[in-house]
Amino acid sequence: MGNRAYNFNAGPAALPLEVLQKAQEELVEFKGIGMSIMEISHRSAEFEQVHNETQQLLKQIFSIPDGYQVQFLQGGASTQFAMIPLNFLKPGKVGSYVLTGAWAEKAVQEASLFGEVAIAASSKEQKFMKIPDLNEINIHPDSAYLHLTSNETIEGAQFQSFPDTGNVPLIGDMSSDILSRPVDVSKFGMIYAGAQKNLGPSGVTVVIVKEDLLQDLPKTIPTMLRYEIHSKNNSLYNTPPVYSIYMMNLVLKWIQEQGGLAVIQKNNLEKSGLIYSAIDQSGGFYRGPVDTGSRSAMNITFRLQDEELEKKFIKETEQNGFVGLKGHRSVGGLRASTYNAVPYASCKALAEFMSDFQKRNG
């Protein structure tokens, strides 16, 4: 396949080429039924098979223990910011949050519309360049849950391990690093993620929730925002994002073919390592602002001496087939997102470009 861009977009992001080719092959006619998967009823046996298989694949690959449900919802992780307090933040309880960056901040803002919020730990004073130490997390005694953002896509900081929260349910927004490494799911009451980084195209949001959290939830919540409705209806209360779920099915099979999450993690560390090395060995030409122990394997953020040079860097990368290396508008700088489907070759090409750019501009 010629001229595929070096895609470092932060999301929607690179998808595996094999997955796109398989989808292309099946686009017009799905498995001999005379229709596309996008044309069939979400109540049909064919779609139900894809739907249930996708849940099973996720349970298998992510080693989700018994007692958890997988739900496929809509509205992105951003709708979850409101759904979580709506369902779980009961009067007299507190929503505890670890504040680690722009996405955690959005979750906090939404929750404070519905109830009392406590900040259990924060790295705001460090400009979000370091994940708080686990022993700094102070869980309010009346906590309904503790919420954390496993990987901050914008700043490029990532939890390397997760706190034990005792009998307070731990809720994790894993939108930008789900399935990038093995995780002990049993530590969490709930994990959620928008699909458009490691799971597939945008349009479906995955919720993995412990069944005992779904007991006696408020009945006053709008129907579509109630986890228990989606639970009782196997996520088919209304029309699901059929094509996104089908694409996720193909991505999950691709992850299995790679050898599962241990192999995916090894590949991700090698890929991001190439770029972090280019930063660290540049003698200060490139600067990685995130504390070394908090560096993300998914979103590598870095700076140059001044904005003029950064603009030049962006312009030249664009001319050389690189896409998406401009930092988020809220923080500036540069960012390479190296999700599961970004090939090793793209990361190697970027590391080589970086050292060449330094030779010419250093």
Side-chain angles (χ1 to χ4, degrees), residues 138-358:
N138 205 333
I139 304 174
H140 192 285
D142 297 325
S143 293
Y145 55 81
L146 175 74
H147 178 285
L148 59 78
T149 309
S150 59
N151 182 69
E152 287 284 0
T153 323
I154 290 176
E155 292 85 3
Q158 184 179 31
F159 275 86
Q160 306 303 320
S161 56
F162 299 107
D164 285 311
T165 54
N167 37 12
V168 174
L170 177 61
I171 298 183
D173 173 0
M174 293 194 182
S175 292
S176 55
D177 67 351
I178 194 166
L179 301 193
S180 67
R181 55 182 175 177
V183 164
D184 180 358
V185 175
S186 69
K187 283 189 139 180
F188 291 83
M190 176 175 151
I191 290 169
Y192 66 98
Q196 62 272 20
K197 286 120 163 63
N198 273 336
L199 296 173
S202 66
V204 61
T205 303
V206 169
V207 167
I208 300 160
V209 62
K210 214 170 181 174
E211 282 163 7
D212 57 16
L213 278 185
L214 301 176
Q215 309 309 317
D216 36 271
L217 297 178
K219 298 282 183 264
T220 51
I221 306 169
T223 308
M224 283 299 292
L225 300 176
R226 278 158 56 190
Y227 292 117
E228 126 203 63
I229 290 287
H230 298 296
S231 161
K232 283 182 180 144
N233 292 279
N234 188 26
S235 304
L236 294 164
Y237 177 76
N238 72 331
T239 310
V242 169
Y243 198 69
S244 298
I245 292 168
Y246 158 77
M247 286 294 286
M248 179 162 59
N249 181 288
L250 298 184
V251 170
L252 292 171
K253 286 173 179 165
W254 175 82
I255 289 175
Q256 260 182 343
E257 282 156 21
Q258 305 307 299
L261 295 192
V263 175
I264 290 279
Q265 179 178 37
K266 181 176 162 286
N267 294 346
N268 285 335
L269 292 173
E270 282 173 8
K271 282 158 30 183
S272 57
L274 289 170
I275 300 165
Y276 280 125
S277 292
I279 294 167
D280 294 340
Q281 292 165 13
S282 70
F285 182 79
Y286 298 105
R287 293 194 319 281
V290 176
D291 177 78
T292 322
S294 301
R295 279 176 164 179
S296 170
M298 295 284 99
N299 308 101
I300 302 164
T301 51
F302 57 103
R303 305 293 315 227
L304 288 164
Q305 276 94 324
D306 57 61
E307 285 188 20
E308 280 316 298
L309 204 53
E310 288 176 350
K311 279 185 186 141
K312 187 177 182 196
F313 182 91
I314 300 279
K315 192 172 172 208
E316 286 192 24
T317 55
E318 285 170 354
Q319 289 162 349
N320 284 279
F322 294 91
V323 174
L325 289 166
K326 200 173 179 179
H328 190 271
R329 60 187 181 279
S330 63
V331 292
L334 305 158
R335 169 176 60 175
S337 296
T338 51
Y339 302 123
N340 290 354
V342 174
Y344 182 88
S346 297
C347 299
K348 191 165 184 284
L350 177 58
E352 286 166 0
F353 175 85
M354 285 167 73
S355 65
D356 179 60
F357 184 84
Q358 181 179 352

Side-chain angles (χ1 to χ4, degrees), residues 116-157:
E116 194 188 330
V117 168
I119 302 300
S122 169
S123 56
K124 194 166 186 161
E125 298 213 326
Q126 290 80 38
K127 295 200 165 83
F128 300 132
M129 291 300 134
K130 184 181 186 301
I131 294 290
D133 291 335
L134 298 188
N135 57 10
E136 291 170 11
I137 298 175
N138 205 333
I139 304 174
H140 192 285
D142 297 325
S143 293
Y145 55 81
L146 175 74
H147 178 285
L148 59 78
T149 309
S150 59
N151 182 69
E152 287 284 0
T153 323
I154 290 176
E155 292 85 3

Side-chain angles (χ1 to χ4, degrees), residues 1-5 17 21:
M1 178 86 185
N3 67 357
R4 287 268 294 163
L17 180 58
Q21 287 169 333

